Amino acid sequence: MSTALKSIKSLAPLLDRVLVQRIKADTKTAGGIFLPDSAVKELNEAKVLAVGPGGVDKEGKRLPMGVKAGDKVLIPQYGGSPIKVGEDEYSLFRDHDILAKINE
């Protein structure tokens, strides 16, 4: 998906959408050896950058979101809506698609 955004900060998720950025895997081993991109697996961990206000139930009441900006979460390997701004890649997921919240 090509977007004309100049900054990801100008993107505000709607309803129960969550904007995340995958956490990049280390490209260097503990011994100091650099790994090629083909050998580095994509992590399922992401940082939440922004959340929507929440979905609406049948009675019109706003449902609370399960995560908030700044949380570290576990996301599915596939899915979401990819967004690319410059060289950076982001994804939009629905709140119920987030697998877990990582507490550190």
Side-chain angles (χ1 to χ4, degrees), residues 71-91:
D71 285 347
K72 194 172 175 184
V73 295
L74 190 65
I75 57 175
Q77 183 69 31
Y78 302 102
S81 299
I83 300 169
K84 190 167 184 174
V85 178
E87 295 298 315
D88 296 326
E89 294 181 11
Y90 305 91
S91 296

Side-chain angles (χ1 to χ4, degrees), residues 10-60:
S10 63
L11 186 69
L14 298 175
L15 296 174
D16 64 340
R17 305 289 194 306
V18 179
L19 178 66
V20 300
Q21 184 175 27
R22 284 188 191 266
I23 296 172
K24 302 213 186 286
D26 288 335
T27 57
K28 189 166 83 169
T29 65
I33 299 172
F34 286 96
L35 301 171
D37 289 339
S38 61
V40 177
K41 285 188 175 182
E42 197 171 65
L43 294 178
N44 288 5
E45 293 179 17
K47 181 178 180 186
V48 176
L49 302 177
V51 297
V56 179
D57 66 8
K58 291 179 182 179
E59 287 81 39

